Amino acid sequence: MANTILVGAQWGDEGKGKIIDVLTEQADIVVRSQGGNNAGHTVYLGKKKFVLHLVPSGILRKRKVCVIGNGVVIDPVNLVGEIDGLEKMGIKMGSNLLISETAHLVFPYHRELDAQREVLKGKNKIGTTKRGIGPAYGDKAARTGLRVLDLLKPEKFAERLKAKISENNAILKAFGAKPLSYKKILADYLEAGRRLQPFVGNTVVYLHDACLANKNILFEGAQGTFLDIDHGTYPYVTSSNTTAGGACTGSGVPPHRMDSVMGVLKAYTTRVGEGPFPTENTELSDFLHGMGREFGSTTGRARRCGWFDAVATGHAAMVNGIDDLAVTNVDGLDTLDVVRVCVAYRCGGKRYDHVPADVDVLAQCEPVYVEFPGWKSDTSGARQWKDLPSKARTYLNAIAELTGARLSIVSVGPARDQTLFL
Ligand code: IMP
């Protein structure tokens, strides 16, 4: 497998959790390198459903080491809760989980500020997960954040936390929000630090040694390309680099160690939160929600749904350098008469073959569609490429060609065996 970066090629929720779980069979180490518990990776093992937020999905397989890299922002209390929840479901954690000592911490004031800023933005809100991700990365960039290693030095941590709480309470007061209790946060965080200490280490050196020992490393991306702070539909984005480059900076593994990039995409498009979405389609949304599909795994929000957008996925292939594609949720389209694919945008008499940087322009773009006949049969039982109806194969080949990468995996349901390798 060598070292593979896996990224979402749309707006997140592409079904990465399942693909990561399947690919992990061939990996020795799985690394999270950005985002925080805004992510929700859903994996089904038999009838058991696991939703992972911070712990890499590799934890569900034995003898795999899972690394939470330096680029991740960690809410330690939440992470302890996730570890406890997994242990209750029979997943043991010991030397198979490693947490970077330089990852930044998320605090309750980040969450509160996230919520207050959304209220202030009113109709221009981003639609965040309210997990405090933006304010936590804001502190990191402003060089005022606290890191995992600070948590392990109780006296100094207490002093720095006190200053942070008093500063943030003053800001929260200006918003008209309640002040936070320093004592409670200190107690909760020190306890979380005590619980996490056995897992904390220098993940950069660990991964460097793993590269020298020719271990196979899978970098599991969270969110998706168009939520990237630099390449996404700014400001309707998350606050980390969700694109392939983020795997290097967020783990300390240099670019020349990376062997390939896999892009995960749905056979249609979804987005949660606000922001432009050219192929959004109410009928398709109602149809998918009616099937019980497309509700967020972190916030439970109904996802906005639309047709496959090949302008967006082609753009994603460009910025990530995608070699291979994993197309998920093909079975979601099984009963449709016609399936549409956006091949260009039109705006003000101009044709766009790439995603315009200005969200005001993107919001006005009208999709140019080509239509494919629906395959009108159940694909969920397919186990090999040749089991798929020929119209489904034509559709999948077309979206791969339009995206500009090799079709390598097709997923027709949540189970591990509902995965077709080409
Ligand atoms: P934040 O990451 O909570 O700040 O949210 C910023 C934007 O990213 C919002 O539109 C969220 O809905 C979206 N977002 C964040 N995490 C995910 C995810 O894991 N899947 C899909 N969308 C996400």
Side-chain angles (χ1 to χ4, degrees):
M1 159 193 222
N3 293 346
T4 301
I5 302 175
L6 183 139
V7 291
Q10 294 160 324
W11 274 273
D13 304 318
E14 295 92 349
K16 294 182 293 294
K18 178 203 155 156
I19 302 298
I20 294 158
D21 173 65
V22 168
L23 293 180
T24 300
E25 193 174 12
Q26 300 145 41
D28 300 301
I29 302 167
V30 185
V31 183
R32 256 297 287 276
S33 53
Q34 45 71 226
N37 63 336
N38 49 348
H41 290 162
T42 308
V43 183
Y44 286 88
L45 297 188
K47 290 213 160 64
K48 269 193 188 172
K49 179 182 176 183
F50 295 86
V51 182
L52 298 143
H53 297 286
L54 268 169
V55 176
S57 314
I59 207 75
L60 303 179
R61 290 194 187 259
K62 291 200 178 90
R63 288 181 288 281
K64 311 289 172 181
V65 177
C66 290
V67 175
I68 301 180
N70 56 276
V72 176
V73 286
I74 299 175
D75 176 334
V77 177
N78 197 279
L79 178 55
V80 168
E82 187 172 335
I83 291 172
D84 287 346
L86 284 168
E87 290 197 332
K88 264 195 206 126
M89 290 180 85
I91 309 294
K92 291 274 159 286
M93 253 152 288
S95 57
N96 55 341
L97 179 65
L98 202 57
I99 302 170
S100 167
E101 57 193 355
T102 57
H104 277 251
L105 298 173
V106 181
F107 288 92
Y109 48 81
H110 291 133
R111 282 198 300 275
E112 199 55 46
L113 282 174
D114 196 354
Q116 294 295 335
R117 284 177 187 157
E118 285 282 271
V119 173
L120 193 68
K121 284 195 183 98
K123 68 175 178 38
N124 296 321
K125 72 175 197 271
I126 295 166
T128 73
T129 60
K130 298 203 179 82
R131 299 295 190 270
I133 305 302
Y137 276 113
D139 269 359
K140 175 179 176 175
R143 295 152 298 173
T144 59
L146 292 169
R147 301 185 290 176
V148 170
L149 54 83
D150 296 313
L151 197 53
L152 306 182
K153 295 183 283 188
E155 274 176 32
K156 213 165 170 203
F157 177 77
E159 206 181 293
R160 292 193 60 193
L161 181 68
K162 196 171 208 170
K164 289 295 294 179
I165 302 253
S166 90
E167 177 194 341
N168 282 285
N169 274 348
I171 301 171
L172 290 175
K173 195 172 167 196
F175 274 112
K178 278 198 204 133
L180 297 164
S181 156
Y182 162 66
K183 266 195 183 157
K184 169 147 180 39
I185 298 174
L186 180 66
D188 290 351
Y189 274 61
L190 288 182
E191 171 57 14
R194 194 188 59 75
R195 291 282 315 279
L196 295 178
Q197 184 156 29
F199 305 112
V200 176
N202 188 328
T203 53
V204 175
V205 172
Y206 173 80
L207 290 171
H208 174 79
D209 291 345
C211 286
L212 293 182
N214 287 322
K215 299 278 188 206
N216 293 320
I217 309 176
L218 176 64
F219 295 84
E220 74 162 63
Q223 292 86 41
T225 298
F226 295 99
L227 293 174
D228 184 284
I229 183 85
D230 286 284
H231 301 289
T233 48
Y234 191 91
Y236 301 99
V237 293
T238 190
S239 298
S240 61
N241 281 117
T242 61
T243 45
C248 294
T249 50
S251 68
V253 175
H256 78 287
R257 292 282 180 199
M258 302 300 185
D259 299 297
S260 71
V261 180
M262 171 166 286
V264 185
L265 30 91
K266 273 185 181 140
Y268 45 91
T269 314
T270 64
R271 148 161 232 181
V272 266
E274 307 304 317
F277 179 3
T279 63
E280 184 168 19
N281 182 283
T282 316
E283 276 168 33
L284 189 60
S285 286
D286 292 346
F287 166 77
L288 291 163
H289 295 150
M291 291 164 81
R293 301 173 86 108
E294 303 309 341
F295 293 93
S297 47
T298 299
T299 59
R301 290 181 287 179
R303 296 176 184 139
R304 300 156 64 191
C305 306
W307 298 111
F308 189 87
D309 183 343
V311 180
T313 57
H315 196 104
M318 174 177 75
V319 294
N320 291 294
I322 295 174
D323 303 294
D324 295 280
L325 295 174
V327 181
T328 68
N329 289 272
V330 175
D331 53 312
L333 303 178
D334 280 352
T335 58
L336 295 177
D337 294 325
V338 170
V339 186
R340 299 165 109 189
V341 173
C342 167
V343 293
Y345 303 146
R346 268 193 207 295
C347 181
K350 198 172 158 191
R351 184 186 160 107
Y352 288 86
D353 297 310
H354 63 273
V355 180
D358 185 340
V359 282
D360 295 334
V361 175
L362 185 61
Q364 312 233 322
C365 281
E366 289 293 332
V368 176
Y369 286 118
V370 293
E371 291 190 346
F372 290 82
W375 41 96
K376 309 273 288 172
S377 60
D378 181 6
T379 57
S380 65
R383 293 296 175 269
Q384 295 182 52
W385 174 247
K386 65 175 173 51
D387 299 339
L388 288 175
S390 70
K391 284 178 182 152
R393 280 185 271 152
T394 303
Y395 175 72
L396 291 165
N397 279 329
I399 61 176
E401 196 175 313
L402 287 162
T403 300
R406 188 169 49 227
L407 182 62
S408 296
I409 295 178
V410 174
S411 169
V412 292
R416 277 179 181 164
D417 67 348
Q418 290 176 302
T419 315
L420 286 47
F421 294 90
L422 274 75

